[in-house]
Amino acid sequence: MNELFLLLIEIVGTVAFAISGIRLAAAKSFDWFGAYVVGLVTAIGGGTVRDLLLNTTPFWMVNGWYLAVTGLSLVTVLLLKKYLVKLDQTFFIFDTVGLALFVVIGIQKTLFFGYPMWVAIFMGTTTGALGGVLRDILINVEPLIFRKDVYGTACIAGGVIYWAIALVSDSVILQQSMCALTVILMRILAVRYNWSIPILRNYAE
Amino acid sequence: MNELFLLLIEIVGTVAFAISGIRLAAAKSFDWFGAYVVGLVTAIGGGTVRDLLLNTTPFWMVNGWYLAVTGLSLVTVLLLKKYLVKLDQTFFIFDTVGLALFVVIGIQKTLFFGYPMWVAIFMGTTTGALGGVLRDILINVEPLIFRKDVYGTACIAGGVIYWAIALVSDSVILQQSMCALTVILMRILAVRYNWSIPILRNYAE
Amino acid sequence: MNELFLLLIEIVGTVAFAISGIRLAAAKSFDWFGAYVVGLVTAIGGGTVRDLLLNTTPFWMVNGWYLAVTGLSLVTVLLLKKYLVKLDQTFFIFDTVGLALFVVIGIQKTLFFGYPMWVAIFMGTTTGALGGVLRDILINVEPLIFRKDVYGTACIAGGVIYWAIALVSDSVILQQSMCALTVILMRILAVRYNWSIPILRNYAE
């Protein structure tokens, strides 16, 4: 029941990530194949790099539904594209909940392999945020999360909270839920109050 | 004798891929070093990512001729550049035959490691098509195969045919040759009849 | 004592690489998070790809100071940005000495894993030069080292000298110091006498 709930969130997050990639591919007039690839890289790119760094089999190679769900995301965009624009709020929630879960999964998996917490925070952030960077490289634009938003920083903050809770409590459930909550809250507050990370001003040339 | 034939095709394919990268690097006024790197990434990039995902030693690290053949491709372009333009038809054939072989190699190697057929199709497509995507990232343009051509789709179609034949026949030779034939035919028909994958229209903004 | 000296050079090189990435990120108006990521990829990207290809744990995952030093580099740029421009000469020296050491480390590690010398030269060049290529991909510009400079070629030259010395002497110290010296000399001479690798002229279109 608990596992089913987590699987459901993971599917929702994967769909949200894939659709974000497919929509940006559409804005670049990519064809269906290109859109599928961009959607897939957005959805599984972060976790794939994490698994390569951890020297373990990429998660989507042992379970076919990641590729299938990305295909369904493409079909959804094709069929419902007119209505999707009105659902931006909904997608933001899906994307944010998915992000939070991806961070938790990345941290958990890294700790499972025996790495210290700072590697786990790095991997949680990679799992959550790198897919979007790879997506932006594929569509040939400067990575969005390097210029606006607190996307990556929210992942790091979630990881630090995971760490802090782990210092005072052994409850993995507590660690994970506080981590996820931090990511979600920070994203929502950032959008609500227009937070952003300071820009590094150009000082040369 | 049979192995010699396959080796010959693999060299021809590697040269065709490398030259496609080197020519695009030339169009960007890269220097010889840059052109070599772009040519190399085009030729071995797809197979390298496949081998990293399969957690095995990248194929070109155990056999020096891939780097050497890329060097020869560069010398060829330097010496014969005036004549290469007239050979575009020939290169198309070399590139297509190479692509077909790369797809077959990718599928074969993945099945050898015990993965199911859908992973093998993914890896066949990666082996054939990812080098060109990495090439386009290096020369900083939107990946060509995401906007025109049926390049990636031909790889997938070849993989599906491999699968279909495998369901009815145990002959690996038959599976592989029908897969290669599908890739080659689809590429030729696509160019001849101007096939393309539908564009995903922009629906927002 | 000797190890301490090498560690010092490695830190200096890492800082020089990280700052080069952070300054280019600043020129693109990235935020602090983006600048950190670009600095980190510049500093550890080459060695990370090398370790993935060698199928070993990425070096920075077993020692936290690479991430920490990149953070210090960011703070340095934030605090001292006005003065950094005047230090371009100093940075060139740091960057060049760091590059030389990275090439030596890449060669050494690859030979340690039992690969032949040509793989080691490839990995030395990757360790030294790939970080800058990944940096340029992240900031969405054509890789600098593909169009000017003898950066990559200096790495290859250092590797060839390593090889040549190894043919006539068993002294690893001699092999490594001559390799490093070659990289440093070639970089300095290239800047002093304005050397560059010939451009591959566009011959089509």
Side-chain angles (χ1 to χ4, degrees), chain A residues 46-195:
Chain A
T48 302
V49 171
R50 174 203 65 212
D51 288 344
L52 288 177
L53 293 171
L54 293 177
N55 203 13
T56 186
T57 303
F59 64 102
W60 53 268
M61 284 169 63
V62 290
N63 184 332
W65 72 255
Y66 296 93
L67 301 197
V69 157
T70 302
L72 286 179
S73 302
L74 177 59
V75 173
T76 305
V77 173
L78 286 172
L79 293 180
L80 302 178
K81 52 186 165 185
K82 282 168 200 152
Y83 309 98
L84 288 181
V85 183
K86 294 174 194 157
L87 294 174
D88 273 354
Q89 293 273 11
T90 315
F91 274 115
F92 174 76
I93 297 300
F94 285 1
D95 191 271
T96 296
V97 172
L99 179 68
L101 184 74
F102 288 174
V103 172
V104 169
I105 290 174
I107 291 175
Q108 194 178 354
K109 193 164 187 177
T110 309
L111 294 176
F112 173 80
F113 278 92
Y115 285 99
M117 197 65 210
W118 63 268
V119 177
I121 295 176
F122 182 97
M123 292 299 169
T125 307
T126 298
T127 310
L130 189 64
V133 174
L134 295 176
R135 172 199 70 202
D136 292 347
I137 289 174
L138 278 182
I139 62 175
N140 200 24
V141 300
E142 290 172 16
L144 190 67
I145 68 165
F146 291 169
R147 300 189 70 163
K148 54 176 274 196
D149 234 327
V150 299
Y151 210 84
T153 322
C155 299
I156 297 175
V160 170
I161 293 296
Y162 196 119
W163 194 352
I165 304 284
L167 293 177
V168 297
S169 159
D170 284 344
S171 161
V172 174
I173 295 289
L174 187 67
Q175 294 159 14
Q176 295 185 345
S177 52
M178 293 310 289
C179 166
L181 205 66
T182 305
V183 176
I184 293 170
L185 264 183
M186 229 178 118
R187 285 278 291 152
I188 290 175
L189 289 173
V191 168
R192 179 75 184 75
Y193 294 105
N194 223 4
W195 288 352

Side-chain angles (χ1 to χ4, degrees), chain B residues 23 80-89, chain C residues 203-204:
Chain B
R23 291 176 74 178
L80 302 177
K81 53 186 164 186
K82 284 168 197 151
Y83 309 97
L84 288 181
V85 182
K86 294 173 193 157
L87 295 174
D88 272 354
Q89 294 273 9
Chain C
Y203 55 88

Side-chain angles (χ1 to χ4, degrees), chain B residues 136-176:
Chain B
D136 292 346
I137 289 174
L138 278 183
I139 62 174
N140 200 23
V141 300
E142 289 172 16
L144 190 67
I145 68 166
F146 291 169
R147 299 189 71 164
K148 53 175 277 197
D149 233 327
V150 298
Y151 210 83
T153 322
C155 298
I156 297 174
V160 170
I161 292 296
Y162 197 120
W163 193 353
I165 303 285
L167 292 177
V168 298
S169 159
D170 283 343
S171 161
V172 174
I173 295 289
L174 187 67
Q175 293 159 14
Q176 296 185 345

